[in-house]
């Protein structure tokens, strides 16, 4: 089945063509101009989506070597995210659905991330433990099939990506801070500074990252009141990254062991982190658990993951179930403990 998928929940506009689980194109345009504000400005984000979406759709078709009339269904992210940004993608998708009389599958962005690790990893079977780490979310899921998953851990405050971004800002690094810390950390000594591994022994699968942010803030104000010298930055970056990754890896592996699951899938923007990818793989392998991570283009927000899971829903429920155009977008963050609660 050939699907056209849209993702516009935050600051990436993305359009993808998916064909029987294979990604024919995955065009992503990142709104780098938010850098100068130190974070995403919602109103500017929706305007930029509006300016980009038409042209990106043309490029997605060109790269997939297909035309709009070849498409059999449409998929679009409808929650959670910035309302204005979600409306741009959703209304554009609805317009195409009307024009070409195509079914349209509303997709939860989180579900897109959960299954994104399977896109180019067909070797990973169910069940698996998914660590979803992005700018907006940090959670652990027990995933039994394409339509059965359960949230078993959640951050109680900041998301891991948010911690990377806020700490990077504190250190005077560019936004988004995760990739900046990752790059600097490769030159640094992760054992030089001992930052807290919050909740690492809490006995559950929940996280907390706001204490780490405060600890780094106090450390910087106390030791470097005039600003952090450039030569110390790599060691701080490496030590911060190790603190975040240690907790993510420990909790995910504990979840896999306690649920007797042999596969771990990491996903979301922070799953691009080189130390997280390496450490999770090594630690899990020590106890015979396999780790799967998405290709880089499927870590960050992307439409391929939206089309990928939409195709599974179409196959399960049939095209006729998706001709309704009265669905709405929603900003709702990840809250419930179970999928259907
Ligand atoms: O999934 P994503 O693109 O958007 C959200 O849904 O939030 O994730 C963005 C987050 C940002 O916080 C960014 O700093 C983080 O992913 N990120 C990284 C890396 N690349 C992106 N964090 C750590 N290391 C990286 N290499
Ligand atoms: Zn995301």
């Amino acid at each position: 089945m050939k699907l056209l998928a849209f993702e516009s929940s935050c600051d990436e506009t993305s359009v993808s063509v998916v064909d029987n689980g294979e990604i024919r194109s995955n065009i992503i345009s990142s709104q780098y101009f938010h850098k100068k504000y130190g974070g995403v400005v919602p109103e500017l984000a929706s305007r930029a989506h509006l300016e980009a979406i038409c042209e990106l759709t043309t490029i997605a078709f060109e790269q997939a070597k297909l035309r709009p009339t070849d498409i059999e269904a449409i998929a679009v992210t409808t929650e959670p995210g910035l309302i204005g940004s979600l409306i741009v993608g959703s209304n554009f998708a609805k317009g195409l659905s009307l024009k070409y009389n195509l079914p349209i599958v509303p997709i939860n962005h989180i579900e897109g991330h959960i299954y994104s690790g399977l896109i180019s990893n067909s070797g990973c079977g169910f069940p698996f433990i998914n660590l979803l780490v992005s700018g907006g979310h940090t959670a652990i899921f027990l995933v039994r099939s394409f339509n059965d998953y359960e949230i078993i851990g959640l951050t109680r405050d900041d998301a891991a990506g948010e911690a990377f971004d806020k700490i990077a800002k504190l250190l005077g690094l560019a936004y988004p801070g995760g990739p900046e810390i990752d790059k600097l950390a490769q030159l640094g000594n992760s054992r030089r500074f001992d930052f807290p591994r919050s909740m690492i022994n809490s006995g559950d699968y929940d996280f907390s990252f706001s204490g780490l942010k405060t600890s780094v803030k106090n450390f910087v104000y106390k030791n470097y009141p005039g600003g952090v010298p450039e030569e110390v930055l790599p060691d701080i970056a490496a030590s911060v990254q190790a603190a975040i990754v240690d907790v993510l890896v420990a909790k995910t592996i504990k979840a896999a062991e306690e649920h007797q699951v042999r596969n771990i899938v990491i996903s979301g923007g922070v799953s691009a982190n080189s130390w997280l990818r390496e450490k999770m793989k090594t630690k899990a392998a020590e106890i015979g658990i396999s780790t799967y991570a998405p290709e880089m283009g499927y870590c960050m927000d992307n439409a391929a993951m939206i089309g990928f899971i939409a195709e599974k829903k179409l196959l399960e429920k049939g095209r006729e179930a998706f001709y309704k155009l009265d669905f709405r977008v929603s900003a709702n963050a990840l809250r419930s403990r179970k999928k259907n609660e």
Side-chain angles (χ1 to χ4, degrees):
M1 193 186 308
K2 294 179 183 61
L3 276 102
L4 178 65
F6 297 97
E7 158 61 41
S8 67
S9 63
C10 191
D11 57 347
E12 260 94 29
T13 322
S14 179
V15 186
S16 168
V17 175
V18 179
D19 184 2
N20 285 328
E22 188 198 324
I23 312 304
R24 300 274 293 253
S25 60
N26 183 36
I27 313 299
I28 305 171
S29 167
S30 296
Q31 301 174 1
Y32 291 112
F33 64 82
H34 292 293
K35 273 180 193 228
K36 61 175 175 284
Y37 307 107
V40 179
V41 183
E43 182 56 35
L44 298 183
S46 27
R47 283 188 216 174
H49 285 304
L50 201 54
E51 280 163 17
I53 199 162
C54 224
E55 195 184 340
L56 296 184
T57 306
T58 307
I59 300 171
F61 275 121
E62 278 171 11
Q63 207 176 88
K65 299 193 170 48
L66 291 172
R67 289 171 304 183
T69 46
D70 297 320
I71 294 298
E72 293 157 273
I74 292 174
V76 63
T77 304
T78 53
E79 63 177 337
L82 302 170
I83 288 291
S85 295
L86 288 165
I87 286 175
V88 174
S90 154
N91 283 358
F92 191 75
K94 284 181 183 179
L96 289 177
S97 158
L98 275 174
K99 177 166 182 195
Y100 294 101
N101 190 30
L102 292 172
I104 178 167
V105 190
I107 294 291
N108 181 311
H109 180 83
I110 302 295
E111 283 191 23
H113 276 306
I114 291 175
Y115 297 100
S116 64
L118 301 189
I119 294 178
S120 39
N121 288 316
S122 53
C124 176
F126 295 109
F128 64 81
I129 290 291
N130 172 238
L131 171 72
L132 167 54
V133 266
S134 72
H137 307 282
T138 293
I140 296 184
F141 296 88
L142 170 60
V143 186
R144 299 185 189 90
S145 71
F146 279 116
N147 57 22
D148 182 4
Y149 62 87
E150 187 184 332
I151 181 163
I152 57 173
L154 198 56
T155 181
R156 298 192 180 171
D157 40 57
D158 292 351
E162 202 177 346
F164 271 111
D165 294 342
K166 286 179 176 170
I167 292 169
K169 193 173 175 184
L170 205 83
L171 298 174
L173 305 174
Y175 176 87
E180 300 294 319
I181 291 190
D182 192 347
K183 255 186 279 162
L184 267 177
Q186 289 173 29
L187 312 167
N189 172 7
S190 64
R191 293 200 180 91
R192 175 156 173 204
F193 304 112
D194 187 21
F195 293 120
R197 271 78 172 151
S198 305
M199 293 184 70
I200 198 161
N201 294 316
S202 63
D204 55 22
Y205 309 118
D206 285 349
F207 300 95
S208 168
F209 292 106
S210 68
L212 173 64
K213 179 188 62 196
T214 311
S215 160
V216 178
K217 192 174 173 179
N218 292 339
F219 165 84
V220 167
Y221 287 168
K222 186 174 160 215
N223 295 288
Y224 307 105
V228 182
E230 223 164 272
E231 64 275 13
V232 190
L233 275 176
D235 289 347
I236 300 182
S239 304
V240 164
Q241 179 177 269
I244 296 175
V245 168
D246 276 357
V247 185
L248 295 175
V249 170
K251 298 249 170 173
T252 309
I253 290 182
K254 177 177 150 73
E257 278 186 300
E258 290 184 359
H259 290 85
Q260 294 170 359
V261 168
R262 311 312 301 162
N263 297 313
I264 286 174
V265 173
I266 57 173
S267 59
V270 180
S271 72
N273 184 269
S274 52
W275 187 235
L276 173 63
R277 291 169 91 96
E278 192 182 322
K279 186 118 197 244
M280 188 74 84
K281 210 171 186 163
T282 326
K283 286 275 166 199
E286 281 171 12
I287 50 167
I289 294 175
S290 307
T291 301
Y292 300 87
E295 284 176 17
M296 289 300 175
Y298 311 135
C299 288
M300 64 197 301
D301 288 349
N302 68 90
M305 67 182 190
I306 303 303
F308 182 78
I309 185 63
E311 192 174 27
K312 309 294 177 205
K313 289 182 191 290
L314 273 161
L315 291 172
E316 187 202 341
K317 295 188 178 158
R319 293 163 56 88
E320 293 313 312
F322 296 102
Y323 275 95
K324 292 194 199 86
L325 286 180
D326 58 355
F327 60 82
R328 289 168 169 259
V329 300
S330 161
N332 279 348
L334 201 53
R335 266 188 257 109
S336 67
R337 308 292 303 178
K338 296 235 175 169
K339 179 186 165 192
N340 293 322
E341 269 175 11

